Amino acid sequence: DAGVIQSPRHEVTEMGQEVTLRCKPISGHDYLFWYRQTMMRGLELLIYFNNNVPIDDSGMPEDRFSAKMPNASFSTLKIQPSEPRDSAVYFCASSPGDSKFYEQYFGPGTRLTVT
Amino acid sequence: ILNVEQSPQSLHVQEGDSTNFTCSFPSSNFYALHWYRWETAKSPEALFVMTLNGDEKKKGRISATLNTKEGYSYLYIKGSQPEDSATYLCAFSDLGATNKLIFGTGTLLAVQP
């Protein structure tokens, strides 16, 4: 298996532009997680899905952020409009089951820079 | 607000030294505790998933223990090697949000050859 795939790996955009990050989880994994990593806050969960349904989006910073999972093999995280403070590394992770028994598998991350 | 604390923040050891670090988490409503290893320029990789009080897990030279009653976990590395250099993260979830992992800020380990 190729592991969790994220694209793009790097994104540089100007303030006010729309940014879309993409994730393909490992086949057969029922859970998908979006994380943001910053120096100030470390690794924080933004949202997670179970069987394509959003379960907990309490970590989404504000209405500018949205995430979708239209099918079991694809998810997007969208920021519109983007702001410089959104600059961070965004990780997608997937898991085959509940956290009591299964670890999460992380993708390589997307490094976002908003100028 | 749930808080996961790791100590020390960073650690420098010589090759061959054994080392350990601590993860502290809320002891009430415990659900699961994860350890991840995060090398520079890579993504986190899972080491252990732990759920039972008194649990002890081992992978090669790395082992971990769990005390859910007092809210801590230890990670041990025996005979550190330069390739062990990484940030070690622990993450906790509770009964209120079982799949929402709260990550600590990690312990950065540097092993000098």
Side-chain angles (χ1 to χ4, degrees):
Chain A
D1 199 314
V4 176
I5 298 172
Q6 290 187 247
S7 65
R9 295 290 304 274
H10 301 273
E11 176 83 34
V12 180
T13 191
E14 291 185 348
M15 183 173 66
Q17 296 298 305
E18 177 180 296
V19 175
T20 299
L21 311 182
R22 297 172 176 80
C23 175
K24 177 178 168 55
I26 294 172
S27 176
H29 282 196
D30 293 335
Y31 289 83
L32 184 139
F33 306 83
W34 281 102
Y35 290 91
R36 179 170 67 176
Q37 191 242 342
T38 62
M39 289 294 291
M40 291 295 293
R41 299 172 70 92
L43 196 60
E44 53 179 346
L45 180 68
L46 300 177
I47 184 171
Y48 82 89
F49 297 82
N50 181 21
N51 292 321
N52 314 337
V53 176
I55 303 299
D56 188 331
D57 65 355
S58 58
M60 296 285 263
E62 48 199 271
D63 292 345
R64 297 184 298 105
F65 285 68
S66 63
K68 294 182 180 179
M69 191 165 187
N71 57 62
S73 59
F74 183 66
S75 176
T76 59
L77 178 68
K78 187 175 291 186
I79 308 172
Q80 165 64 16
S82 57
E83 297 182 3
R85 61 192 166 123
D86 301 330
S87 298
V89 180
Y90 291 82
F91 287 99
C92 175
S94 69
S95 175
D98 190 272
S99 71
K100 196 174 186 75
F101 306 106
Y102 298 99
E103 64 265 42
Q104 296 182 12
Y105 295 77
F106 284 76
T110 295
R111 182 174 294 277
L112 173 65
T113 303
V114 183
T115 60
Chain B
I1 296 176
L2 298 176
N3 202 27
V4 178
E5 295 184 357
Q6 292 189 245
S7 63
Q9 275 191 318
S10 63
L11 199 51
H12 294 256
V13 301
Q14 294 294 315
E15 183 174 354
D17 288 349
S18 293
T19 186
N20 66 85
F21 9 100
T22 306
C23 171
S24 301
F25 52 85
S27 56
S28 58
N29 298 321
F30 174 85
Y31 190 72
L33 191 285
H34 291 209
W35 280 100
Y36 290 82
R37 180 170 178 274
W38 194 354
E39 287 183 73
T40 303
K42 294 188 177 180
S43 46
E45 290 184 351
L47 289 171
F48 306 113
V49 175
M50 308 178 80
T51 54
L52 299 176
N53 184 47
D55 213 0
E56 189 166 336
K57 297 218 170 177
K58 189 174 181 181
K59 185 182 286 190
R61 294 180 290 97
I62 304 176
S63 60
T65 60
L66 179 66
N67 184 322
T68 62
K69 295 189 185 308
E70 296 182 42
Y72 64 83
S73 175
Y74 293 138
L75 189 80
Y76 301 91
I77 302 178
K78 184 177 178 182
S80 303
Q81 299 297 308
E83 58 264 30
D84 296 329
S85 298
T87 296
Y88 291 83
L89 295 170
C90 69
F92 155 87
S93 65
D94 75 352
L95 288 168
T98 56
N99 282 286
K100 181 173 182 175
L101 288 180
I102 308 295
F103 279 83
T105 51
T107 293
L108 175 61
L109 174 67
V111 183
Q112 301 291 337

